[in-house]
Amino acid sequence: MKELTHDSKLDDIQLYINGEFVQASSNETFENKNPFTNRPINRVASGQKSDIDMAVSAAKAAFKGEWGSLKLKERLAYINRIADLIDEHIDEIAPLESLDTGLPIHQTKKMVARAAQNFRFYAEMVSTRLTGDAYQVDDDFLNYTVHKPVGVAGLITPWNAPFMLETWKIAPALATGNTVVLKPAEWSPLTANRLAEIIDKADLPNGVFNVVHGYGETAGAALVAHPDAPLISFTGETKTGSEIMKNGADPLKRFSMELGGKSPIIVFDDADLDRAMDAVTWGIFSFNGERCTANSRLFVHESIYDTFVEQLMERVENILVGDPLDDRTQVGPLIHTNHYENVKRYLGIAEKEGARVVSGYVDEAHADGNFVPPTLLLNVTNDMTVAQEEIFGPVMCVLPFKDENEVIEMANDIRYGLAGYVWTNDMKRGHRVAQKVDAGMMWVNSQNVRDLRTPFGGSKHSGIGREGGYYAFEFYTEVQIVHVALGDHPIPQFGKEKRT
Ligand code: NAD
């Protein structure tokens, strides 16, 4: 295998429909750029409504055909085969992901390994946990439930951890027996294409898995509106999620919505401050800060505020910002110039609002890349724009707090509710605060470490529904109840008696 560099020439990317790699029917393409150099990597077929129509129709035929009639063991063998193939190619997929997104290579390697686990995990989950219930009703009835696949699942994914997030949806969708049309984010098409090649190699029946690259407003919107794709699982911005729900209202889509976040991390004065410092810095600066569960709001108890912030500034100064393909790099360039401009815009707003902007170090040699240095926003109040809106970059607001009640109020005074983190050695307080924060997922004395069996998702404007573990079954399957009479229970006898 030839080592990937920023000068490597990569083939252009096609759509994957009905088991074949094809051009977009319009023949249109768009440019895919390297965020480290801002030079083109390759061109990508730009799918339109007609391509979505073909992909959905292939997926529908596969659902009604070969895929739908496989035995469970046969279906799950395909899922495990995909996992094996991903594992075999981690060292090739991770650099592709880093090249495309700017995410540091030591992080993408873990993400790709996790992607393989997603498939293996759901093969196991479906064989052990996709079970129905039985309801005995005296001697009269036995009622039981079965979980049936729904049909074609439309999966629409973001660019911030593309391969991992795509597999997170594809694995439960396929393992439960649905077929898939994936619309990956337009800024990160490389590994979605590699996944199509892997699934092609795994030899799934044609049409079970399809990838239509393209813009959200065209390919994405066509998938949302398509009457034959009853499921739409979306991960992305809150604003896009609400737009998608409007567009899917007429065809009455079932939605899973994983949306934005602005998660609090709360550090009390009795916490293990060294570990808290590690968690705070990793939680905001890993994935270049482009992480939905990032702790982008740090609340520090006022008695330790000055020393904690001083140490934090030292950490920020020392973070290694650089080439995403270099194993030592801790923070890489942001995905795209548009996103870079947007994050910079927020730093301008922060200054205007009176915050103190403290930034880390980026070598001048990296001037071509979309680099925003790791940044702290100090002197912030909770009502500022930068404390309320998701910036989605390596930028963290830092606020002092006086006591438990005040910090819970500040943590909850926001429209988001995805995740949160509490650091304290008072375990009663740890549980209490965790449960009072309005967020789908909380960690006590830990960074974001997630067991695949647990539910993933947000409250308020951070999402609707839960993915992960058996929670995903609610979305990807239709529960049917079958009522079976066991004896001769009474049935009303309309019209049996002669009318007088
Ligand atoms: P985005 O909303 O801009 O795009 C996400 C996807 O939606 C892309 O594939 C895009 O092409 C598509 N899209 C855009 N408009 C569409 C439309 N009208 N119809 C159908 N599809 C459309 O999000 P992004 O910038 O790619 O990702 C960053 C966002 O994702 C952040 O807000 C982040 O918090 C969120 N996110 C959430 C989670 C979570 O699990 N809650 C995980 C990762 C990222």
Side-chain angles (χ1 to χ4, degrees), residues 1-5 10 85-100 105 108-109 112-113 163 190-191 193-195 197-198 201 325:
M1 189 180 67
K2 237 172 101 189
E3 198 176 324
L4 198 69
T5 70
L10 296 187
L85 285 167
I86 293 175
D87 270 339
E88 280 167 30
H89 294 92
I90 289 179
D91 291 341
E92 176 210 333
I93 302 168
L96 273 182
E97 189 83 316
S98 291
L99 189 82
D100 211 12
I105 184 85
T108 54
K109 278 184 188 158
V112 177
F163 194 72
L190 291 189
T191 51
N193 179 59
R194 194 67 194 89
L195 185 62
E197 289 170 350
I198 281 176
K201 202 166 166 200
L325 294 179

Side-chain angles (χ1 to χ4, degrees), residues 22 43 61 103 107 207 217 236 248 251 266 297 342 366 379 420 447 468:
V22 292
R43 294 196 71 83
L103 292 168
Q107 297 172 27
E217 300 73 18
I266 301 169
R297 294 185 295 149
N342 197 37
H366 299 322
N379 300 342
Q447 80 282 34

Side-chain angles (χ1 to χ4, degrees), residues 19 46 52 70-71 85 104 110 133 154 202 231 287 298 395 460:
S46 183
I52 289 287
L70 286 181
K71 300 276 184 229
L85 285 167
K110 290 191 181 130
D133 297 316
L231 298 177
F287 297 18
L298 166 62
V395 181
K460 303 204 283 192

Side-chain angles (χ1 to χ4, degrees), residues 155-161 165 168-169 183-187 214-224 234-241 243-244 247 257-261 290-293 335 339 390 392 416 418 441 456-458 462-463 467:
L155 311 180
I156 302 178
T157 48
W159 46 259
N160 67 312
L165 289 174
W168 177 322
K169 294 179 190 299
K183 207 304 279 171
E186 49 272 43
W187 289 349
Y215 292 107
E217 300 73 18
T218 47
L223 185 54
V224 171
F234 171 76
T235 299
E237 278 187 38
T238 298
K239 191 158 55 81
T240 318
E243 171 81 17
I244 286 178
N247 295 340
M257 289 280 155
E258 299 290 351
L259 309 174
E290 297 161 322
R291 179 177 198 143
C292 56
T293 53
I335 180 87
H339 185 53
E390 185 185 41
F392 217 55
Y416 294 110
L418 188 58
M441 298 170 283
F456 184 99
S462 288
E467 299 190 343

Side-chain angles (χ1 to χ4, degrees), residues 134-206:
Y135 305 82
Q136 176 83 35
V137 187
D138 303 326
D139 290 335
D140 299 329
F141 280 96
L142 176 65
N143 306 333
Y144 62 89
T145 56
V146 286
H147 291 256
K148 304 202 286 192
V150 184
V152 179
L155 311 180
I156 302 178
T157 48
W159 46 259
N160 67 312
F163 194 72
M164 207 262 291
L165 289 174
E166 286 152 13
T167 60
W168 177 322
K169 294 179 190 299
I170 297 163
L174 294 181
T176 51
N178 301 285
T179 54
V180 163
V181 176
L182 170 70
K183 207 304 279 171
E186 49 272 43
W187 289 349
S188 58
L190 291 189
T191 51
N193 179 59
R194 194 67 194 89
L195 185 62
E197 289 170 350
I198 281 176
I199 292 186
D200 194 64
K201 202 166 166 200
D203 219 13
L204 267 71
N206 289 347

Side-chain angles (χ1 to χ4, degrees), residues 25 46-55 212 218-219 221-223 225-227:
S25 48
S46 183
Q48 320 276 328
K49 181 179 177 306
S50 49
D51 303 297
I52 289 287
D53 287 347
M54 281 189 274
V212 179
T218 47
L223 185 54
H226 201 295

